[in-house]
Structure formats: structure tokens, C-alpha cells
Amino acid sequence: MILLNNRLKSVLCSNLLDYLLVTDSLNMYYLTGYQGRLGFCLISRLGKVYLCVPKHLKTQALRSDLNNYEYEVITYSTTVTLFNNTNIIPKGSILGFENNLPFYLFNLLKNISHIQLKNVSALIEGLRSIKSNQEQEHLIQASKIALNSLDSSLHNLTTEYTEIQLEAELMSEIIKNGGDGFPFRFEVSSGNKTDLLHTRPSNKKIKNNQILLIDFGCIYKGYNVDIARTYSVGNPPKEADLLYELLYNLQQKIITKIKPNICIQDITSFANDLFKSLKIEDKIFHDIGHGVGLSVHESPYLSPNSTETLQTGNVLNIELGLHHPVFGGFRLEDMILINKHGNEPITRSNRRLLNILRR
């Protein structure tokens, strides 16, 4: 924890801040494990974290599910008395604030003469992109819950199931297996509908000899996983097997290039060159991946416009989707952890297109 608090110290010093006011709820949870609706965090130039809450929430503030950072609890009767107290924020201090600072709080702060305000953004989000050992364990556990739940749901699949029934079954299994919730409404699509992005499950029955696409996730102790799988219901044509194998091999080639200190633009350029060499660049769904953690989409983003460099401790989703005019869409999405040697899988797609045998 001392090392992590030193990272906070480094961030404040490099941005010439004496204090940073954190009001984003996910950033507050990351720093303290606090999930209350009232309060905010103050971070000092020395890397100390203070969780500031109304007096009646002190007991809740002392309970934490996370141990990322050491923090102290400060209680207040009103925010006016807190920020006017020069023992909390001394005279002449430069106070950074996040973009989502509530208007009432901004108005209060700008009228306090001994504080100089500075608008900063994405400082804590940058720290969040490098996962601690505990965060990695939460993500690994969330992925296990999600995949075990998927296996159970597919085992129960019958010829009477609709897309929305399969979604309900999968959600039920996730909660039964220890998940805390869901990061988004699941995408369960079959047949030609798989060619569409971000569709909702319908009352359409899942038929034999079609492609089935499932994009789903799980929340465990606040951490999100995002996984996509493509299956065949019954026996697919040989061409469907070949397309799936192509997509899988592309994903694996991109994953082998991912390591610490590589520029994201180098990865996206490599991926685009692969797509162009196979003349499929117009059939790929979207960017090839993104970070995942307290948000289901967070830094780093694997966009060709990114100027970021990957670091040890990043957890990424590598997501590829391929259009086909006859079968629909094929999509694979897997999570990897960047380590000092390169990367290691948290989830891994099947090498071959699996046939789901109907009961």
C-alpha cells in the first residue's frame, strides 16, 4: 500500500498540485472502497488519502472491501466549514479537481480566498489502469464466475429457448455463482442478427444450424469483466469453421504483440496491416480492445489515435468481430494481463468453433 500511496504522491507533484479533490464515485471506491453517495476524497501532496464524509456516515466510511491505499476518515458537519478550515487545506494551496465536480461545490470553492483551483482530468483513471494484485484477483474471480455460468447456461439450452430466455438463464447463473451484478444488458443474438452491434435479446427462438453470439459480463467486488463468445447451434457449414478459425488466429497474433512499453499505435498498426493483407479491413467491427476494471471500458484504449504506452499491470480486453453476409457476425473477446514478460491470459476463447448439441 505504501508503494501505491507513493504513486499518488508522484502524480500530484508532477501536476504541481498540493491537493486533489476526487468526486467521481468509481475513483473514490478505487481509493477507499467507500460506496456511499455523500462525501469525497482529498489527496495530499504527500500521497495521503482522506475520505471526507458527513458525521453520520463515519462507520460506513471505515468499512472497506478494498485495500489499495491507506486512508484516513475526516468527518464534517457542512462542506463550508470543512474547506474553510486551514488545518485541512492550508492557505495558498493549489487544489486540483475532476471534471465531474458538482456545481454547488465548485461555487463554494471558488469563493474561498486561500485556495487556488486547478482543473485536471483523468489523473486517478491513469492510476486505475495499472491493477494491483488484489484487483487482478478480483478480475480473475469475476471471469471464472462468468465463464462457469455460461457453461451451465449452455448446458441447459433446449430447442424451446429464446434469446431473452438464455440471457435470463445466464444472469441467474452469474448471481447464483457469486457475481454481484452485470456491467451491461447482455447481447444474445442468433442467425443473421449476429451481424449487428449492441442488439438486445428478443423473443426469437434460437434455431439449429445457426451462429449464436453471446457478449456478456459480470461484476465482482466492483470489478467488471467483458467477454464475447461465438458458437454454432447444430452443425455449421465448413466455411463457418474456417471464418471462426481465421478470427481466432488474428486475435492470437495481436495478443502476441502486446507487452510492456509498447506504443498502442504500434499494436493497432500491426492489426490493421493484418486486416489489409487479408482484404478484410471493411469486415472488422471496431477498435481491437480496451482496458477493463471498475469500468467495463476504461484506459488504456487500443485506438489508432491513442498516444499511450502499455504498462505492466494493465488488464486489456482484446475484441475482434468479423462480418459475414451469409452467417452473420463472429466475435471473440478475451482478457489479458500485461506482465513483465509480455502478457498472460485471464480468459481464452476456444480454438475451434464449438457446436452446441441441442437437447
Side-chain angles (χ1 to χ4, degrees):
M1 286 193 292
I2 294 175
L3 178 62
L4 293 178
N5 281 79
N6 283 338
R7 287 172 59 197
L8 290 173
K9 179 180 177 181
S10 175
V11 165
L12 265 73
C13 288
S14 62
N15 285 273
L16 304 177
L17 299 175
D18 296 306
Y19 290 86
L20 174 62
L21 176 61
V22 178
T23 49
D24 179 87
S25 59
L26 288 181
N27 289 342
M28 288 176 61
Y29 180 75
Y30 168 72
L31 293 167
T32 66
Y34 176 68
Q35 292 181 293
R37 293 185 177 183
L38 299 176
F40 41 83
C41 288
L42 274 174
I43 304 171
S44 78
R45 193 179 182 89
L46 298 177
K48 291 185 177 180
V49 179
Y50 302 96
L51 175 55
C52 307
V53 297
K55 289 181 178 179
H56 68 282
L57 293 176
K58 182 177 181 179
T59 301
Q60 182 179 348
L62 290 169
R63 296 174 182 169
S64 173
D65 292 331
L66 291 178
N67 298 305
N68 285 335
Y69 295 88
E70 293 180 341
Y71 70 95
E72 297 178 24
V73 174
I74 295 176
T75 61
Y76 60 85
S77 53
T78 69
T79 51
V80 175
T81 56
L82 176 71
F83 285 108
N84 275 301
N85 186 344
T86 54
N87 291 322
I88 304 294
I89 302 180
K91 290 183 178 180
S93 295
I94 301 175
L95 174 66
F97 63 90
E98 298 181 304
N99 284 339
N100 72 334
L101 180 70
F103 185 70
Y104 84 92
L105 203 48
F106 175 75
N107 258 350
L108 185 157
L109 291 169
K110 74 177 183 180
N111 290 316
I112 297 178
S113 59
H114 72 268
I115 296 176
Q116 180 182 339
L117 295 178
K118 185 177 180 179
N119 188 357
V120 293
S121 63
L123 297 187
I124 302 301
E125 286 83 352
L127 294 175
R128 277 171 42 190
S129 71
I130 300 174
K131 305 300 187 285
S132 67
N133 290 338
Q134 184 187 40
E135 291 178 293
Q136 293 172 25
E137 289 169 6
H138 289 343
L139 287 165
I140 290 168
Q141 182 60 26
S143 68
K144 288 178 179 178
I145 291 170
L147 290 174
N148 288 339
S149 300
L150 178 64
D151 287 345
S152 300
S153 300
L154 293 178
H155 177 75
N156 295 331
L157 188 66
T158 73
T159 53
E160 297 303 311
Y161 264 56
T162 64
E163 294 172 349
I164 204 164
Q165 284 175 315
L166 179 55
E167 179 197 35
E169 176 86 17
L170 181 50
M171 286 182 165
S172 175
E173 287 292 325
I174 285 172
I175 297 301
K176 193 187 304 182
N177 289 329
D180 299 326
F182 319 106
F184 49 81
R185 180 77 187 267
F186 295 170
E187 185 175 351
V188 179
S189 302
S190 57
N192 290 337
K193 188 180 167 192
T194 57
D195 198 35
L196 305 174
L197 276 176
H198 308 308
T199 62
R200 289 196 171 189
S202 69
N203 287 316
K204 171 187 174 186
K205 286 190 176 181
I206 300 169
K207 297 178 180 179
N208 273 317
N209 303 320
Q210 287 189 338
I211 295 299
L212 174 64
L213 189 153
I214 304 173
D215 194 334
F216 71 112
C218 170
I219 300 174
Y220 177 74
K221 293 191 181 296
Y223 285 80
N224 299 261
V225 296
D226 183 8
I227 301 169
R229 293 288 181 265
T230 302
Y231 300 100
S232 171
V233 182
N235 297 311
K238 185 177 180 180
E239 189 177 2
D241 281 324
L242 294 175
L243 286 168
Y244 181 95
E245 188 175 349
L246 170 65
L247 190 64
Y248 175 84
N249 289 334
L250 285 171
Q251 184 200 46
Q252 294 306 305
K253 285 180 181 179
I254 292 168
I255 287 174
T256 59
K257 290 292 181 181
I258 295 176
K259 59 185 179 181
N261 303 317
I262 189 171
C263 295
I264 288 176
Q265 285 185 350
D266 290 342
I267 299 168
T268 57
S269 293
F270 171 78
N272 288 332
D273 288 344
L274 277 179
F275 303 151
K276 288 176 182 176
S277 69
L278 296 167
K279 298 180 180 179
I280 58 170
E281 65 270 24
D282 60 335
K283 296 180 175 59
I284 296 294
F285 276 137
H286 43 50
D287 289 341
I288 60 174
H290 55 84
V292 67
L294 288 175
S295 291
V296 73
H297 294 87
E298 63 179 40
S299 180
Y301 295 94
L302 300 187
S303 163
N305 299 318
S306 174
T307 58
E308 290 186 81
T309 298
L310 295 180
Q311 301 177 65
T312 301
N314 289 153
V315 174
L316 301 174
N317 269 33
I318 307 303
E319 180 178 17
L320 290 186
L322 184 65
H323 293 273
H324 190 276
V326 176
F327 306 114
F330 295 72
R331 199 180 314 161
L332 299 177
E333 186 170 10
D334 284 293
M335 295 168 57
I336 62 170
L337 167 66
I338 298 181
N339 58 30
K340 62 182 180 180
H341 303 294
N343 69 76
E344 58 189 90
I346 294 178
T347 67
R348 177 176 283 165
S349 291
N350 298 301
R351 184 180 295 272
R352 300 279 186 262
L353 179 63
L354 288 187
N355 302 338
I356 304 173
L357 300 178
R358 307 296 296 278
R359 294 189 298 145

